[in-house]
């Protein structure tokens, strides 16, 4: 009968090992789960960023030169009449009763153009007029860069609605020293036109007079 002890012990150990393996396998099977795996959305996904597009090529018209011929021109009536030197041979288009545009005939769009607007009725200072213009530019145009801002002037670049790179100069005048802006002048052009557009707006502003014939501001 003594031989049964070791045999029984071996049998019990075998049974215990088999039961442990079965329980372990059952535990592993239960942890795998079921169903088809699906992607988990990110908590804060980033939208793709579109690369900036280069500007549309400029028209190939010759650039505006400094020192072009100017001749006196008069717009407005009564106390709102103003006189100033305007480019000789450029066509004039009245956009409104208080706004005029000058453009050289035969030039392409998005080359160079000058616009003059009387803003007497708005009763704003030149500083306020500049602030309003900057706010509107940033709200309405793309790629706006303020190059320089003076007490009466603004120089900036932007992308036109057609995709062209534009370089603009603006100036506001107080013709009667009232503390209010009376006239707004702007000359738009390409980078190639900058020497000519800068020269043009300076000469037009320096030669502008109000209805009384007095000097600017």
């Amino acid at each position: 009968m003594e031989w049964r002890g070791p045999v029984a012990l071996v049998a019990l150990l075998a049974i215990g090992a088999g039961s442990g393996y079965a329980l372990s396998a059952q535990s592993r099977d239960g942890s795998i789960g079921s169903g088809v795996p699906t992607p988990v959305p990110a908590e804060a996904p980033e939208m793709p960023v579109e690369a900036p597009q280069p500007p549309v090529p400029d028209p190939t018209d010759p650039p505006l030169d400094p020192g072009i011929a100017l001749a006196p021109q008069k717009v407005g009536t009564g106390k709102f009449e103003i006189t100033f030197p305007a480019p000789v041979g450029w066509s004039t288009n009245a956009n409104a009763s208080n706004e005029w545009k000058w453009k050289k005939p035969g030039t392409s769009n998005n080359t160079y153009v000058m616009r003059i607007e009387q803003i007497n009725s708005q009763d704003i200072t030149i500083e306020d007029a500049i602030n309003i213009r900057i706010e509107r530019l940033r709200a309405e145009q793309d790629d706006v860069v303020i190059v320089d801002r003076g007490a009466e002037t603004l120089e900036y670049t932007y992308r036109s609605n057609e995709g062209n790179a534009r370089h603009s100069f603006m100036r506001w005048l107080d013709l009667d020293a009232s503390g209010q802006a009376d006239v707004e002048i702007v000359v738009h052009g390409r980078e190639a036109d900058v020497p000519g557009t800068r020269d043009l707006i300076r000469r037009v502003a320096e030669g502008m007079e109000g209805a009384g014939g007095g000097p600017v501001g």
Side-chain angles (χ1 to χ4, degrees):
M1 297 295 294
E2 293 181 357
W3 59 270
R4 293 182 178 179
V7 173
L9 178 59
V10 172
L12 288 174
L13 290 174
I15 293 172
S19 300
Y21 176 81
L23 288 174
S24 175
Q26 184 178 19
S27 175
R28 289 197 304 272
D29 291 343
S31 65
I32 294 175
S34 61
V36 179
T38 57
V40 178
E43 292 184 3
E46 295 185 0
M47 298 299 293
V49 177
E50 185 176 351
Q53 298 296 317
V56 173
D58 285 333
T60 57
D61 303 51
L64 177 65
D65 292 325
I68 63 172
L70 304 178
Q73 187 157 352
K74 189 178 295 184
V75 298
T77 58
K79 65 178 182 178
F80 297 113
E81 181 181 275
I82 54 175
T83 304
F84 53 92
V88 173
W90 288 26
S91 59
T92 308
N93 179 35
N95 296 339
S97 60
N98 65 329
E99 182 179 338
W100 300 266
K101 181 185 292 185
W102 282 261
K103 187 175 186 295
K104 184 177 180 179
T107 54
S108 306
N109 291 333
N110 289 300
T111 50
Y112 47 87
V113 64
M114 180 177 75
R115 180 180 60 80
I116 293 178
E117 179 181 356
Q118 291 180 303
I119 55 177
N120 312 67
S121 60
Q122 297 183 19
D123 294 330
I124 58 175
T125 65
I126 291 178
E127 182 179 5
D128 288 340
I130 297 176
N131 289 336
I132 291 171
R133 174 59 58 180
I134 292 175
E135 183 177 346
R136 286 181 55 188
L137 283 170
R138 288 174 170 162
E140 298 174 3
Q141 302 294 339
D142 294 327
D143 301 338
V144 175
V145 176
I146 305 303
V147 178
D148 184 60
R149 172 177 176 161
E152 299 177 337
T153 61
L154 184 66
E155 179 184 354
Y156 59 94
T157 60
Y158 70 102
R159 185 189 295 253
S160 72
N161 295 335
E162 295 81 12
N164 295 92
R166 307 291 284 154
H167 197 130
S168 302
F169 295 90
M170 298 191 73
R171 184 162 179 180
W172 290 261
L173 301 177
D174 177 5
L175 297 176
D176 55 5
S178 64
Q180 307 294 315
D182 296 320
V183 177
E184 176 183 283
I185 310 170
V186 57
V187 181
H188 301 291
R190 304 159 295 181
E191 285 299 319
D193 302 315
V194 166
T197 51
R198 180 186 284 118
D199 176 73
L200 176 59
I201 195 170
R202 177 188 60 79
R203 295 168 65 198
V204 171
E206 290 178 354
M208 185 169 289
E209 297 177 348
V216 173

